[in-house]
Amino acid sequence: MASWKTTLLLLTLFLLSLFLELLLAQATIINSIDGGMNKGCIEVERKALLEFKNGLKDPSGRLSSWVGADCCKWKGVDCNNQTGHVVKVDLKSGGGFSRLGGGFSRLGGEISGSLLDLKHLTYLDLSLNDFQGIPIPNFLGSFERLRYLNLSNARFGGMIPPHLGNLSQLRYLDLLGGDYPMRVSNLNWLSGLSSLKYLDLAYVDLSKATTNWMQAVNMLPFLLELHLSGCHLSHFPQYSNPFVNLTSVSVIDLSYNNFNTTLPGWLFNISTLMDLYLNGATIKGLYSLDLGNNRFSGEIPKWIGERMPSLEQLRLRGNMLTGDIPEQLCWLSHLHILDLAVNNLSGSIPQCLGNLTALSFVTLLDRNFDDPNGHVAYSERMELVVKGQNMEFDSILPIVNLIDLSSNNIWGEIPKEITNLSTLGTLNLSRNQLTGKIPEKIGAMQGLETLDLSCNCLSGPIPPSMSSITSLNHLNLSHNRLSGPIPKTNQFSTFNDPSIYEANLRLCGPPLSTNCSTLNDQDHKDEEEDEDEWDMSWFFISMGLGFPVGFWVVCGSLVLKKS
């Protein structure tokens, strides 16, 4: 019995020791893996970053964390977990985005060539800083693995180096200009960016480039977004297929240029050669088209609604367009931004605009294109007028719902069908020649935040249902012919600015000084005066008619009776 107990005890001890050894081995493996995952940065790269830091001006101490042996822990620096090589440097300023720079804690100074020691760098962001007009360094074109380069609004100046064309792995390039003019001598270097998906050269002067910009864009087979806003462009080449690769492009922004032609004669040479382009194929990928603030003339082409079924954002604001709003735009079931303001459009508002699906139901719009390394989500930009102010939208643009037809010559009544657009956020029909009443069921537009109907010829009362739009926070009904009391409930109790109702002589009640009872008494008095004037008018009319009738009755009988 004793020997059996001894054997059992020894076996238990053996199994326990074996279990402990297995635990120890597993812990060793885990520690080894953890050690590999948290490997410190390479020394030569640490020194390169410190030399780069020494060349910068950092008035607010943004780079104060750049101390110690492990540069992978420094703010704005990311390393590869396995190799320890620096792969990302993100020194974007924390200031807000604007076309002309801005923000706080901006870096400046010089960009040291020591960065070339970061041979595994795939991501570099120096945007929204202040380099006070120095040119973009040539050596930035030597990062063979770079996939993301963002120098937008960093206040660089001078000539953009063609050396950037060596970045064959680049997916994202943003050189949006600002206070200091930037320009290019030619655009041939774009042909080297064979992997590019996002290109932004906004506010870079391309007018002196020896290579035509459309030919250059044609060299980018995988391009998804094209931003050439404010680039001093004025003409298009005269050949049949200027955009062979357009079927892959999803965003085109050519706003704030000097194009002076019919709209849009440049897009496939539509006016004469549409049938030559892919046998009239539809452009399924394009979802954002911004040709605003140019000098395009002519009518809005019907084929935009017929051949661009995926279009979600259409901005033709600030041109010289004429004619009616084509009903074919109503076929764009995904359209949620329609900006046709500040043109010479005429005719009435199409009733079918009330059928725009994307403005009638809550939809989730996600049109971002992920970078292969997961570093960035591409997002288009668009400048819109909301609440009476120019605002630039970027990341939240997919959820902005807007119709702006202001400052045209549109006449007729506001179609009641427009009240079907329950998720529309901004409706601006101001500065037109609209007549009739505000639709009674306007209260069904529960998503409405901004409503501007000013400077028209609208009449009748303010519909009571409008007070049920609880999201409404910006309203302008001034300079119309509206009448009756101003509602007092819900949102109307917050609209205390009398200017939003001014020049409506028959509107009454707070915040206007006109008392409704006084206005009613005056209306009654005016009616009595009108009746008296009508009676007097009939008196004089009867006298005027009676005299010649009586005269000819007497004299006519004398003429007929010769005796």
Side-chain angles (χ1 to χ4, degrees):
M1 179 65 90
S3 61
W4 179 82
K5 290 182 177 180
T6 302
T7 303
L8 183 60
L9 179 61
L10 291 174
L11 181 61
T12 302
L13 292 173
F14 173 76
L15 292 174
L16 182 61
S17 63
L18 182 62
F19 179 71
L20 291 174
E21 288 181 7
L22 289 173
L23 285 178
L24 182 62
Q26 185 68 23
T28 302
I29 293 173
I30 292 175
N31 288 335
S32 175
I33 293 175
D34 288 344
M37 293 293 285
N38 294 285
K39 187 173 183 179
C41 73
I42 310 301
E43 178 62 18
V44 66
E45 295 180 355
R46 187 183 75 87
K47 291 181 178 179
L49 288 172
L50 288 177
E51 189 172 342
F52 168 58
K53 173 187 175 182
N54 290 335
L56 296 176
K57 296 178 181 178
D58 183 15
S60 61
R62 285 178 54 198
L63 304 182
S64 58
S65 66
W66 285 30
V67 293
D70 191 358
C71 64
C72 296
K73 296 181 180 179
W74 295 353
K75 185 176 180 180
V77 177
D78 285 351
C79 299
N80 184 289
N81 289 331
Q82 280 73 40
T83 65
H85 286 295
V86 174
V87 295
K88 179 177 180 180
V89 175
D90 185 356
L91 298 180
K92 177 180 180 179
S93 169
F97 178 85
S98 70
R99 286 191 180 274
L100 300 178
F104 302 96
S105 305
R106 295 187 293 179
L107 300 173
E110 300 289 335
I111 300 177
S112 171
S114 64
L115 285 179
L116 286 175
D117 288 332
L118 308 179
K119 299 185 182 301
H120 295 264
L121 194 68
T122 62
Y123 186 110
L124 179 61
D125 190 342
L126 301 177
S127 61
L128 294 171
N129 284 295
D130 184 6
F131 290 98
Q132 298 184 357
I134 67 171
I136 297 172
N138 291 338
F139 68 79
L140 291 185
S142 301
F143 291 102
E144 297 179 355
R145 305 190 184 199
L146 202 63
R147 294 188 175 215
Y148 180 96
L149 178 60
N150 190 347
L151 306 179
S152 64
N153 280 304
R155 305 188 79 186
F156 287 103
M159 196 74 68
I160 292 178
H163 303 75
L164 297 181
N166 298 328
L167 303 175
S168 59
Q169 299 298 313
L170 201 65
R171 305 289 196 271
Y172 184 107
L173 178 61
D174 191 346
L175 303 179
L176 185 148
D179 292 343
Y180 293 91
M182 290 198 296
R183 61 189 187 279
V184 295
S185 57
N186 67 71
L187 288 169
N188 289 331
W189 56 274
L190 283 178
S191 62
L193 306 180
S194 55
S195 301
L196 200 66
K197 293 185 177 182
Y198 180 104
L199 175 63
D200 193 338
L201 297 178
Y203 297 94
V204 174
D205 188 353
L206 304 182
S207 63
K208 303 296 191 299
T210 56
T211 309
N212 183 276
W213 65 273
M214 294 181 76
Q215 291 174 305
V217 170
N218 231 6
M219 303 173 188
L220 305 173
F222 301 108
L223 192 66
L224 296 175
E225 293 198 25
L226 175 65
H227 297 269
L228 298 179
S229 176
C231 292
H232 303 282
L233 302 173
S234 59
H235 65 280
F236 303 94
Q238 299 299 317
Y239 52 91
S240 60
N241 291 335
F243 265 143
V244 175
N245 296 314
L246 190 65
T247 50
S248 68
V249 177
S250 296
V251 175
I252 296 177
D253 181 1
L254 298 176
S255 60
Y256 291 96
N257 281 291
N258 301 313
F259 295 116
N260 186 10
T261 181
T262 55
L263 174 71
W266 58 274
L267 203 56
F268 327 126
N269 278 335
I270 281 298
S271 59
T272 57
L273 297 167
M274 181 62 177
D275 293 335
L276 297 179
Y277 181 79
L278 295 180
N279 297 319
T282 57
I283 302 90
K284 296 181 179 179
L286 189 66
Y287 71 83
S288 182
L289 179 61
D290 188 349
L291 304 178
N293 299 95
N294 281 281
R295 291 184 291 165
F296 286 114
S297 58
E299 297 185 353
I300 299 174
K302 298 177 180 179
W303 62 262
I304 289 182
E306 296 170 345
R307 295 179 179 265
M308 293 184 173
S310 300
L311 202 63
E312 298 176 2
Q313 303 154 12
L314 177 60
R315 184 177 180 272
L316 304 177
R317 181 188 190 90
N319 284 287
M320 297 184 292
L321 301 176
T322 57
D324 297 349
I325 299 172
E327 292 190 357
Q328 284 77 3
L329 295 184
C330 304
W331 301 359
L332 301 173
S333 58
H334 300 287
L335 194 69
H336 65 97
I337 292 178
L338 177 61
D339 191 349
L340 307 179
V342 196
N343 280 287
N344 296 313
L345 299 174
S346 57
S348 58
I349 300 173
Q351 296 180 358
C352 61
L353 283 184
N355 299 331
L356 291 174
T357 308
L359 295 175
S360 304
F361 303 97
V362 176
T363 55
L364 297 177
L365 300 171
D366 184 8
R367 293 293 182 268
N368 291 331
F369 306 101
D370 292 334
D371 182 86
N373 284 348
H375 289 317
V376 65
Y378 303 161
S379 178
E380 71 277 14
R381 296 190 310 271
M382 186 171 284
E383 184 178 287
L384 302 168
V385 176
V386 177
K387 300 180 181 179
Q389 296 181 342
N390 285 331
M391 301 177 66
E392 190 167 79
F393 295 87
D394 43 38
S395 59
I396 67 168
L397 189 61
I399 62 173
V400 175
N401 297 327
L402 174 144
I403 292 179
D404 192 344
L405 308 179
S406 62
S407 299
N408 281 287
N409 296 312
I410 300 172
W411 45 262
E413 297 187 1
I414 301 174
K416 62 181 180 181
E417 289 79 7
I418 207 166
T419 62
N420 296 334
L421 306 180
S422 57
T423 60
L424 182 64
T426 295
L427 177 61
N428 191 345
L429 305 178
S430 64
R431 295 178 179 83
N432 281 289
Q433 300 177 33
L434 297 173
T435 56
K437 298 180 178 181
I438 300 173
E440 291 290 338
K441 297 182 179 180
I442 195 170
M445 305 177 74
Q446 285 297 306
L448 211 56
E449 298 180 9
T450 297
L451 177 63
D452 193 343
L453 304 178
S454 62
C455 301
N456 281 288
C457 301
L458 299 172
S459 58
I462 298 174
S465 67
M466 191 185 294
S467 61
S468 68
I469 308 176
T470 55
S471 59
L472 192 65
N473 55 52
H474 182 86
L475 176 67
N476 194 347
L477 302 177
S478 63
H479 297 276
N480 279 287
R481 300 173 183 173
L482 300 174
S483 59
I486 297 172
K488 301 177 182 179
T489 58
N490 296 332
Q491 295 302 100
F492 277 87
S493 64
T494 66
F495 298 140
N496 299 318
D497 182 3
S499 67
I500 68 176
Y501 304 110
E502 69 180 3
N504 288 279
L505 300 181
R506 294 189 175 276
L507 272 183
C508 61
L512 296 179
S513 58
T514 306
N515 189 286
C516 288
S517 58
T518 304
L519 186 61
N520 290 335
D521 293 340
Q522 182 63 39
D523 289 342
H524 183 67
K525 184 177 180 180
D526 291 342
E527 290 176 2
E528 291 179 348
E529 290 178 353
D530 290 341
E531 291 179 1
D532 292 340
E533 289 178 1
W534 184 247
D535 292 339
M536 290 297 293
S537 298
W538 269 113
F539 174 75
F540 287 112
I541 291 172
S542 61
M543 285 187 65
L545 291 175
F547 177 80
V549 170
F551 175 82
W552 284 110
V553 167
V554 174
C555 296
S557 61
L558 293 176
V559 171
L560 293 174
K561 292 185 177 181
K562 296 181 179 180
S563 60

